[in-house]
Structures are given as structure tokens and as C-alpha cells.
Amino acid sequence: MKANIMKKFLLALLFVPITVFASGAALHLDRAPDIQGDQPALQNGAKLFVNYCLNCHGLSFVRYNRLTELGLTDQQVRENLMFTADKIGEQMRVAARPAEQKKWFGVMPPDLSLVARARASEHGSGADWLYTYLRSFYRDDQRPTGWNNAIFPNVGMPHILWELQGQQALNHETHKLDLAVPGQLSTTEYDKQVGDLVGFLVWAGEPAAGFRRHLGYVVLGFLVILFGVSYALKKAYWKDIK
């Protein structure tokens, strides 16, 4: 009797993860463009982040002088992108005071240094989530900020890019977003700007990723050459024995 109960208990534990996974609604994410290595696009993403995001969200794991890796000079960084620090070696910290942010939003907006990694899931990459999220805001007068988000319901963040995108409305019958009031950019142009911003956040999560991949190819190439040399030596050493 006890053995049967234990067997049923173990079977129930085995199927719990499947039940939980099946109960979750499928999340459709649009594929974010890959702009890693495209320096002009990444520079534009850095400009968008500094002008629209840095007031509330910091990149505390990134220092301003790392932006020179995107093809910018120290002077360009100081004159165009460095608004929250005095020295170029300082971190890209948020402009607002933490106490003020908590008062305004009820909670401190998160640091975005690793957001592109943290948002990765079975539905897609963190870049895909960010790309879809920043294109899914719509007007909602029931929310304190006047905005809501299709993939992050009841989000506390306002739509900071609404002037560029315009105002979307949620069609409750089709559950799709329709552009109600056009913005400064067309849909294609806005998607391009969001792609650049998301690409910059991906870069900020690991600025050395490009060098790491390049070094990996160099190491693999060296190992292939080493294997060839070792095999030739092996044949040379053993030819007389055979």
C-alpha cells in the first residue's frame, strides 16, 4: 500500500513541471535585428539610450569610456553622451536621485546593464523581448501613466518613445494594436530606432562579446593548425617503426 502511494506521489511530482509549463500562455515575440558589429547603429542606440532612458535607468556596469569601442572619440562621448558624470571613466549612472524615483514611480526603475540577458526565456532572446516590448505600448486611461503594454500588462513605465512612435490603441476584439495617432516617424523608421536601442543594450550587457568571439575563432584556428603539425610529426616519428 505504501509503495503504491509513494509511486503515485513520484509520478505527480514528475508531471508538475509539465502542467505548469502548459498552463502558461504562449508569448509571441518579434525577432530583434542583430546589429552587433554595426558601429553606426550602435552609436545611434547609445544616443537614444542617453536621451530617452538614462533619466530613469542606469547602466552601472558600463563606463562612459567604453563607448569609444563603438568608434567614438573621448571628445564625442563627452560632448554628446556624457550627461551624468564629470569624468569619462565614471559609470553610466542614472540622472535622477533614487529617493525621487521611488516617490515618483513607487519603486526604483531597474538598472539595465544586464536586461538583455535577464529577459531571455523559452519564448525568445532578451533582445526579442525588449524589441517587442518597446513597440507594444498603447493608450490606457485606467493606468496612472496613461499607458499600458501588450506583453507587460499594467507596467509602471510610461511610453517614453511615444513622440517617435505615436499613440497605439488596443483592439479588444482582435487583441492587436492599431496606430491611432501617428508619431514623428513611420512604423518602419520607428522599428529601426528601437532595433538600434535594443542592440546597444545587448552590447552593454557584454561589451567584450565581439572580442571574445573573435578570440574564439583564433583559438580554434590555432588548434586546427596544431593538430595538423602534431599529426605530421606523429607520421614522421612512426614511419621507421612500421
Side-chain angles (χ1 to χ4, degrees):
M1 183 68 179
K2 290 183 178 180
N4 289 334
I5 294 174
M6 182 61 68
K7 186 180 294 184
K8 291 179 180 179
F9 178 71
L10 291 174
L11 285 172
L13 286 179
L14 179 65
F15 286 103
V16 163
I18 299 176
T19 305
V20 172
F21 179 79
S23 64
L27 181 64
H28 172 74
L29 298 179
D30 297 328
R31 180 66 63 87
D34 183 6
I35 64 167
Q36 302 308 305
D38 186 345
Q39 289 194 338
L42 291 172
Q43 291 173 14
N44 183 51
K47 181 188 71 175
L48 290 166
F49 181 85
V50 168
N51 284 281
Y52 289 96
C53 307
L54 195 56
N55 289 325
C56 297
H57 298 281
L59 287 178
S60 60
F61 292 176
V62 181
R63 298 182 184 275
Y64 279 102
N65 57 4
R66 296 220 68 160
L67 298 179
T68 58
E69 297 175 18
L70 302 180
L72 299 169
T73 64
D74 286 355
Q75 184 176 355
Q76 288 174 323
V77 173
R78 288 192 182 95
E79 293 179 354
N80 303 300
L81 299 174
M82 202 173 76
F83 303 131
T84 63
D86 297 321
K87 298 179 180 180
I88 197 168
E90 293 184 40
Q91 297 162 301
M92 296 182 68
R93 295 189 182 278
V94 64
R97 295 186 179 91
E100 293 175 339
Q101 288 183 300
K102 192 170 184 179
K103 181 180 178 181
W104 296 335
F105 304 109
V107 65
M108 285 181 55
D111 184 272
L112 299 184
S113 299
L114 301 176
V115 66
R117 292 186 176 189
R119 284 295 179 179
S121 69
E122 71 275 11
H123 304 294
S125 68
D128 295 340
W129 190 93
L130 290 169
Y131 182 67
T132 308
Y133 169 71
L134 291 173
R135 295 159 53 249
S136 299
F137 278 94
Y138 63 92
R139 291 294 298 173
D140 186 352
D141 294 334
Q142 303 300 317
R143 297 296 301 155
T145 63
W147 297 97
N148 210 328
N149 194 280
I151 70 165
F152 195 155
N154 301 325
V155 65
M157 174 180 162
H159 187 17
I160 57 173
L161 301 174
W162 73 270
E163 291 181 321
L164 302 180
Q165 183 186 30
Q167 300 182 32
Q168 296 188 120
L170 179 65
N171 188 320
H172 294 283
E173 294 182 0
T174 63
H175 299 287
K176 292 184 178 180
L177 297 173
D178 301 317
L179 186 62
V181 180
Q184 298 173 2
L185 304 177
S186 67
T187 301
T188 302
E189 291 171 337
Y190 179 74
D191 289 350
K192 171 65 169 59
Q193 296 299 303
V194 172
D196 290 351
L197 174 57
V198 170
F200 172 72
L201 289 173
V202 172
W203 174 86
E206 189 182 358
F211 172 76
R212 175 174 56 79
R213 285 193 290 268
H214 175 72
L215 181 61
Y217 292 135
V218 172
V219 171
L220 288 175
F222 171 77
L223 291 176
V224 169
I225 295 172
L226 181 62
F227 174 79
V229 172
S230 300
Y231 184 74
L233 285 172
K234 179 257 184 188
K235 291 185 66 177
Y237 288 154
W238 286 82
K239 64 180 180 180
D240 295 331
I241 298 176
K242 289 183 179 181

mmCIF file of all heavy atoms in Angstrom, residues 196-230:
data_model
loop_
_atom_site.group_PDB
_atom_site.id
_atom_site.type_symbol
_atom_site.label_atom_id
_atom_site.label_comp_id
_atom_site.label_asym_id
_atom_site.label_seq_id
_atom_site.Cartn_x
_atom_site.Cartn_y
_atom_site.Cartn_z
ATOM 1 N N ASP A 196 18.000 49.662 -32.971
ATOM 2 C CA ASP A 196 19.306 50.216 -32.595
ATOM 3 C C ASP A 196 19.435 50.327 -31.076
ATOM 4 O O ASP A 196 20.493 50.012 -30.507
ATOM 5 C CB ASP A 196 19.493 51.600 -33.224
ATOM 6 C CG ASP A 196 19.672 51.536 -34.737
ATOM 7 O OD1 ASP A 196 19.815 50.414 -35.272
ATOM 8 O OD2 ASP A 196 19.675 52.607 -35.373
ATOM 9 N N LEU A 197 18.364 50.767 -30.420
ATOM 10 C CA LEU A 197 18.394 50.905 -28.959
ATOM 11 C C LEU A 197 18.569 49.540 -28.292
ATOM 12 O O LEU A 197 19.385 49.376 -27.374
ATOM 13 C CB LEU A 197 17.102 51.572 -28.479
ATOM 14 C CG LEU A 197 16.892 51.677 -26.962
ATOM 15 C CD1 LEU A 197 18.054 52.415 -26.297
ATOM 16 C CD2 LEU A 197 15.567 52.371 -26.655
ATOM 17 N N VAL A 198 17.828 48.557 -28.757
ATOM 18 C CA VAL A 198 17.941 47.206 -28.191
ATOM 19 C C VAL A 198 19.323 46.627 -28.467
ATOM 20 O O VAL A 198 19.928 45.985 -27.596
ATOM 21 C CB VAL A 198 16.841 46.299 -28.767
ATOM 22 C CG1 VAL A 198 17.080 44.840 -28.377
ATOM 23 C CG2 VAL A 198 15.472 46.752 -28.286
ATOM 24 N N GLY A 199 19.837 46.857 -29.674
ATOM 25 C CA GLY A 199 21.181 46.374 -29.988
ATOM 26 C C GLY A 199 22.235 46.968 -29.071
ATOM 27 O O GLY A 199 23.174 46.274 -28.663
ATOM 28 N N PHE A 200 22.068 48.242 -28.723
ATOM 29 C CA PHE A 200 23.005 48.864 -27.785
ATOM 30 C C PHE A 200 22.903 48.220 -26.406
ATOM 31 O O PHE A 200 23.930 47.994 -25.739
ATOM 32 C CB PHE A 200 22.732 50.366 -27.676
ATOM 33 C CG PHE A 200 23.521 51.035 -26.587
ATOM 34 C CD1 PHE A 200 24.890 51.230 -26.714
ATOM 35 C CD2 PHE A 200 22.899 51.456 -25.421
ATOM 36 C CE1 PHE A 200 25.632 51.825 -25.691
ATOM 37 C CE2 PHE A 200 23.620 52.057 -24.397
ATOM 38 C CZ PHE A 200 24.980 52.243 -24.534
ATOM 39 N N LEU A 201 21.687 47.899 -25.962
ATOM 40 C CA LEU A 201 21.522 47.248 -24.657
ATOM 41 C C LEU A 201 22.131 45.850 -24.657
ATOM 42 O O LEU A 201 22.677 45.401 -23.647
ATOM 43 C CB LEU A 201 20.041 47.183 -24.287
ATOM 44 C CG LEU A 201 19.390 48.528 -23.930
ATOM 45 C CD1 LEU A 201 17.887 48.366 -23.755
ATOM 46 C CD2 LEU A 201 20.015 49.112 -22.659
ATOM 47 N N VAL A 202 22.043 45.163 -25.793
ATOM 48 C CA VAL A 202 22.708 43.856 -25.914
ATOM 49 C C VAL A 202 24.215 44.044 -25.801
ATOM 50 O O VAL A 202 24.901 43.290 -25.094
ATOM 51 C CB VAL A 202 22.340 43.183 -27.247
ATOM 52 C CG1 VAL A 202 23.186 41.925 -27.471
ATOM 53 C CG2 VAL A 202 20.858 42.831 -27.280
ATOM 54 N N TRP A 203 24.756 45.040 -26.494
ATOM 55 C CA TRP A 203 26.196 45.324 -26.417
ATOM 56 C C TRP A 203 26.591 45.683 -24.997
ATOM 57 O O TRP A 203 27.630 45.220 -24.499
ATOM 58 C CB TRP A 203 26.536 46.474 -27.363
ATOM 59 C CG TRP A 203 27.961 46.933 -27.244
ATOM 60 C CD1 TRP A 203 29.053 46.425 -27.894
ATOM 61 C CD2 TRP A 203 28.455 47.993 -26.407
ATOM 62 N NE1 TRP A 203 30.188 47.093 -27.514
ATOM 63 C CE2 TRP A 203 29.856 48.063 -26.600
ATOM 64 C CE3 TRP A 203 27.856 48.881 -25.521
ATOM 65 C CZ2 TRP A 203 30.660 48.983 -25.932
ATOM 66 C CZ3 TRP A 203 28.653 49.799 -24.847
ATOM 67 C CH2 TRP A 203 30.036 49.854 -25.058
ATOM 68 N N ALA A 204 25.784 46.494 -24.311
ATOM 69 C CA ALA A 204 26.110 46.929 -22.953
ATOM 70 C C ALA A 204 26.164 45.761 -21.976
ATOM 71 O O ALA A 204 26.899 45.799 -20.997
ATOM 72 C CB ALA A 204 25.078 47.957 -22.473
ATOM 73 N N GLY A 205 25.400 44.688 -22.253
ATOM 74 C CA GLY A 205 25.427 43.523 -21.382
ATOM 75 C C GLY A 205 26.759 42.808 -21.396
ATOM 76 O O GLY A 205 27.138 42.163 -20.410
ATOM 77 N N GLU A 206 27.484 42.920 -22.503
ATOM 78 C CA GLU A 206 28.831 42.324 -22.614
ATOM 79 C C GLU A 206 29.596 43.048 -23.712
ATOM 80 O O GLU A 206 29.656 42.581 -24.843
ATOM 81 C CB GLU A 206 28.754 40.830 -22.909
ATOM 82 C CG GLU A 206 30.117 40.146 -22.818
ATOM 83 C CD GLU A 206 30.066 38.673 -23.157
ATOM 84 O OE1 GLU A 206 28.960 38.168 -23.429
ATOM 85 O OE2 GLU A 206 31.132 38.035 -23.169
ATOM 86 N N PRO A 207 30.185 44.189 -23.394
ATOM 87 C CA PRO A 207 30.908 44.945 -24.420
ATOM 88 C C PRO A 207 32.034 44.164 -25.081
ATOM 89 O O PRO A 207 32.394 44.445 -26.223
ATOM 90 C CB PRO A 207 31.453 46.156 -23.646
ATOM 91 C CG PRO A 207 30.529 46.314 -22.482
ATOM 92 C CD PRO A 207 30.145 44.915 -22.107
ATOM 93 N N ALA A 208 32.592 43.200 -24.362
ATOM 94 C CA ALA A 208 33.724 42.435 -24.906
ATOM 95 C C ALA A 208 33.277 41.206 -25.696
ATOM 96 O O ALA A 208 34.115 40.385 -26.073
ATOM 97 C CB ALA A 208 34.659 42.006 -23.778
ATOM 98 N N ALA A 209 31.971 41.071 -25.962
ATOM 99 C CA ALA A 209 31.475 39.869 -26.645
ATOM 100 C C ALA A 209 32.096 39.715 -28.034
ATOM 101 O O ALA A 209 32.445 38.606 -28.445
ATOM 102 C CB ALA A 209 29.957 39.916 -26.747
ATOM 103 N N GLY A 210 32.229 40.822 -28.768
ATOM 104 C CA GLY A 210 32.825 40.744 -30.099
ATOM 105 C C GLY A 210 34.258 40.250 -30.057
ATOM 106 O O GLY A 210 34.661 39.392 -30.853
ATOM 107 N N PHE A 211 35.045 40.779 -29.123
ATOM 108 C CA PHE A 211 36.437 40.336 -28.975
ATOM 109 C C PHE A 211 36.490 38.876 -28.550
ATOM 110 O O PHE A 211 37.332 38.111 -29.035
ATOM 111 C CB PHE A 211 37.147 41.211 -27.945
ATOM 112 C CG PHE A 211 38.521 40.721 -27.589
ATOM 113 C CD1 PHE A 211 39.584 40.902 -28.462
ATOM 114 C CD2 PHE A 211 38.748 40.055 -26.395
ATOM 115 C CE1 PHE A 211 40.862 40.445 -28.144
ATOM 116 C CE2 PHE A 211 40.012 39.590 -26.063
ATOM 117 C CZ PHE A 211 41.072 39.785 -26.943
ATOM 118 N N ARG A 212 35.574 38.485 -27.651
ATOM 119 C CA ARG A 212 35.555 37.094 -27.188
ATOM 120 C C ARG A 212 35.281 36.135 -28.338
ATOM 121 O O ARG A 212 35.944 35.091 -28.465
ATOM 122 C CB ARG A 212 34.488 36.937 -26.100
ATOM 123 C CG ARG A 212 34.296 35.502 -25.622
ATOM 124 C CD ARG A 212 33.333 35.424 -24.460
ATOM 125 N NE ARG A 212 32.058 36.022 -24.782
ATOM 126 C CZ ARG A 212 31.108 35.420 -25.511
ATOM 127 N NH1 ARG A 212 31.330 34.214 -26.022
ATOM 128 N NH2 ARG A 212 29.956 36.013 -25.737
ATOM 129 N N ARG A 213 34.313 36.477 -29.184
ATOM 130 C CA ARG A 213 34.023 35.603 -30.325
ATOM 131 C C ARG A 213 35.198 35.559 -31.296
ATOM 132 O O ARG A 213 35.553 34.499 -31.815
ATOM 133 C CB ARG A 213 32.751 36.093 -31.027
ATOM 134 C CG ARG A 213 31.466 35.765 -30.288
ATOM 135 C CD ARG A 213 30.264 35.996 -31.178
ATOM 136 N NE ARG A 213 30.055 37.412 -31.424
ATOM 137 C CZ ARG A 213 29.265 38.183 -30.692
ATOM 138 N NH1 ARG A 213 28.609 37.667 -29.661
ATOM 139 N NH2 ARG A 213 29.116 39.454 -30.982
ATOM 140 N N HIS A 214 35.805 36.725 -31.544
ATOM 141 C CA HIS A 214 36.951 36.770 -32.450
ATOM 142 C C HIS A 214 38.094 35.930 -31.891
ATOM 143 O O HIS A 214 38.741 35.169 -32.630
ATOM 144 C CB HIS A 214 37.405 38.213 -32.644
ATOM 145 C CG HIS A 214 38.645 38.361 -33.475
ATOM 146 N ND1 HIS A 214 38.651 38.158 -34.844
ATOM 147 C CD2 HIS A 214 39.933 38.674 -33.124
ATOM 148 C CE1 HIS A 214 39.874 38.337 -35.301
ATOM 149 N NE2 HIS A 214 40.669 38.645 -34.292
ATOM 150 N N LEU A 215 38.350 36.050 -30.587
ATOM 151 C CA LEU A 215 39.411 35.270 -29.956
ATOM 152 C C LEU A 215 39.104 33.782 -30.034
ATOM 153 O O LEU A 215 40.012 32.959 -30.234
ATOM 154 C CB LEU A 215 39.576 35.701 -28.497
ATOM 155 C CG LEU A 215 40.676 35.004 -27.694
ATOM 156 C CD1 LEU A 215 42.034 35.266 -28.321
ATOM 157 C CD2 LEU A 215 40.674 35.465 -26.241
ATOM 158 N N GLY A 216 37.827 33.415 -29.913
ATOM 159 C CA GLY A 216 37.446 32.010 -30.017
ATOM 160 C C GLY A 216 37.786 31.439 -31.380
ATOM 161 O O GLY A 216 38.306 30.318 -31.489
ATOM 162 N N TYR A 217 37.522 32.208 -32.456
ATOM 163 C CA TYR A 217 37.857 31.750 -33.802
ATOM 164 C C TYR A 217 39.376 31.602 -33.964
ATOM 165 O O TYR A 217 39.855 30.661 -34.611
ATOM 166 C CB TYR A 217 37.324 32.728 -34.839
ATOM 167 C CG TYR A 217 35.815 32.758 -34.936
ATOM 168 C CD1 TYR A 217 35.122 33.968 -34.992
ATOM 169 C CD2 TYR A 217 35.079 31.577 -34.967
ATOM 170 C CE1 TYR A 217 33.738 33.997 -35.074
ATOM 171 C CE2 TYR A 217 33.694 31.594 -35.045
ATOM 172 C CZ TYR A 217 33.030 32.803 -35.095
ATOM 173 O OH TYR A 217 31.666 32.820 -35.184
ATOM 174 N N VAL A 218 40.125 32.545 -33.377
ATOM 175 C CA VAL A 218 41.590 32.468 -33.459
ATOM 176 C C VAL A 218 42.095 31.217 -32.754
ATOM 177 O O VAL A 218 42.962 30.491 -33.274
ATOM 178 C CB VAL A 218 42.224 33.728 -32.845
ATOM 179 C CG1 VAL A 218 43.743 33.573 -32.746
ATOM 180 C CG2 VAL A 218 41.884 34.970 -33.676
ATOM 181 N N VAL A 219 41.543 30.939 -31.571
ATOM 182 C CA VAL A 219 41.971 29.753 -30.814
ATOM 183 C C VAL A 219 41.628 28.478 -31.584
ATOM 184 O O VAL A 219 42.448 27.542 -31.657
ATOM 185 C CB VAL A 219 41.311 29.751 -29.420
ATOM 186 C CG1 VAL A 219 41.554 28.420 -28.704
ATOM 187 C CG2 VAL A 219 41.843 30.898 -28.573
ATOM 188 N N LEU A 220 40.430 28.412 -32.159
ATOM 189 C CA LEU A 220 40.049 27.228 -32.935
ATOM 190 C C LEU A 220 40.961 27.055 -34.152
ATOM 191 O O LEU A 220 41.366 25.927 -34.484
ATOM 192 C CB LEU A 220 38.593 27.350 -33.381
ATOM 193 C CG LEU A 220 37.537 27.195 -32.288
ATOM 194 C CD1 LEU A 220 36.144 27.465 -32.851
ATOM 195 C CD2 LEU A 220 37.594 25.800 -31.667
ATOM 196 N N GLY A 221 41.294 28.157 -34.805
ATOM 197 C CA GLY A 221 42.212 28.079 -35.932
ATOM 198 C C GLY A 221 43.582 27.576 -35.515
ATOM 199 O O GLY A 221 44.193 26.744 -36.213
ATOM 200 N N PHE A 222 44.065 28.070 -34.360
ATOM 201 C CA PHE A 222 45.357 27.615 -33.849
ATOM 202 C C PHE A 222 45.329 26.118 -33.540
ATOM 203 O O PHE A 222 46.294 25.387 -33.840
ATOM 204 C CB PHE A 222 45.724 28.408 -32.593
ATOM 205 C CG PHE A 222 46.926 27.880 -31.878
ATOM 206 C CD1 PHE A 222 48.210 28.120 -32.355
ATOM 207 C CD2 PHE A 222 46.792 27.122 -30.719
ATOM 208 C CE1 PHE A 222 49.324 27.629 -31.700
ATOM 209 C CE2 PHE A 222 47.894 26.626 -30.054
ATOM 210 C CZ PHE A 222 49.166 26.881 -30.545
ATOM 211 N N LEU A 223 44.219 25.648 -32.957
ATOM 212 C CA LEU A 223 44.122 24.223 -32.620
ATOM 213 C C LEU A 223 44.109 23.356 -33.876
ATOM 214 O O LEU A 223 44.673 22.265 -33.887
ATOM 215 C CB LEU A 223 42.865 23.975 -31.785
ATOM 216 C CG LEU A 223 42.881 24.558 -30.361
ATOM 217 C CD1 LEU A 223 41.539 24.321 -29.679
ATOM 218 C CD2 LEU A 223 44.010 23.935 -29.533
ATOM 219 N N VAL A 224 43.451 23.844 -34.931
ATOM 220 C CA VAL A 224 43.446 23.087 -36.193
ATOM 221 C C VAL A 224 44.862 22.985 -36.754
ATOM 222 O O VAL A 224 45.302 21.911 -37.185
ATOM 223 C CB VAL A 224 42.510 23.776 -37.211
ATOM 224 C CG1 VAL A 224 42.692 23.159 -38.603
ATOM 225 C CG2 VAL A 224 41.057 23.634 -36.779
ATOM 226 N N ILE A 225 45.607 24.096 -36.734
ATOM 227 C CA ILE A 225 46.986 24.080 -37.217
ATOM 228 C C ILE A 225 47.850 23.176 -36.349
ATOM 229 O O ILE A 225 48.679 22.391 -36.847
ATOM 230 C CB ILE A 225 47.563 25.517 -37.243
ATOM 231 C CG1 ILE A 225 46.792 26.370 -38.263
ATOM 232 C CG2 ILE A 225 49.049 25.507 -37.572
ATOM 233 C CD1 ILE A 225 47.159 27.837 -38.232
ATOM 234 N N LEU A 226 47.662 23.274 -35.014
ATOM 235 C CA LEU A 226 48.431 22.434 -34.094
ATOM 236 C C LEU A 226 48.160 20.958 -34.338
ATOM 237 O O LEU A 226 49.078 20.125 -34.281
ATOM 238 C CB LEU A 226 48.093 22.816 -32.654
ATOM 239 C CG LEU A 226 48.828 22.046 -31.550
ATOM 240 C CD1 LEU A 226 50.336 22.293 -31.645
ATOM 241 C CD2 LEU A 226 48.319 22.440 -30.171
ATOM 242 N N PHE A 227 46.874 20.637 -34.601
ATOM 243 C CA PHE A 227 46.536 19.239 -34.890
ATOM 244 C C PHE A 227 47.261 18.752 -36.149
ATOM 245 O O PHE A 227 47.783 17.643 -36.194
ATOM 246 C CB PHE A 227 45.026 19.089 -35.071
ATOM 247 C CG PHE A 227 44.616 17.719 -35.510
ATOM 248 C CD1 PHE A 227 44.527 16.668 -34.608
ATOM 249 C CD2 PHE A 227 44.326 17.456 -36.856
ATOM 250 C CE1 PHE A 227 44.157 15.399 -35.027
ATOM 251 C CE2 PHE A 227 43.963 16.199 -37.281
ATOM 252 C CZ PHE A 227 43.870 15.156 -36.362
ATOM 253 N N GLY A 228 47.293 19.607 -37.197
ATOM 254 C CA GLY A 228 47.979 19.228 -38.428
ATOM 255 C C GLY A 228 49.457 18.994 -38.213
ATOM 256 O O GLY A 228 50.030 18.006 -38.704
ATOM 257 N N VAL A 229 50.102 19.903 -37.452
ATOM 258 C CA VAL A 229 51.533 19.759 -37.173
ATOM 259 C C VAL A 229 51.787 18.508 -36.340
ATOM 260 O O VAL A 229 52.727 17.733 -36.596
ATOM 261 C CB VAL A 229 52.061 21.010 -36.452
ATOM 262 C CG1 VAL A 229 53.501 20.796 -35.985
ATOM 263 C CG2 VAL A 229 51.969 22.230 -37.355
ATOM 264 N N SER A 230 50.961 18.258 -35.333
ATOM 265 C CA SER A 230 51.127 17.094 -34.455
ATOM 266 C C SER A 230 50.950 15.799 -35.247
ATOM 267 O O SER A 230 51.690 14.824 -35.043
ATOM 268 C CB SER A 230 50.117 17.145 -33.309
ATOM 269 O OG SER A 230 50.300 18.313 -32.533
#
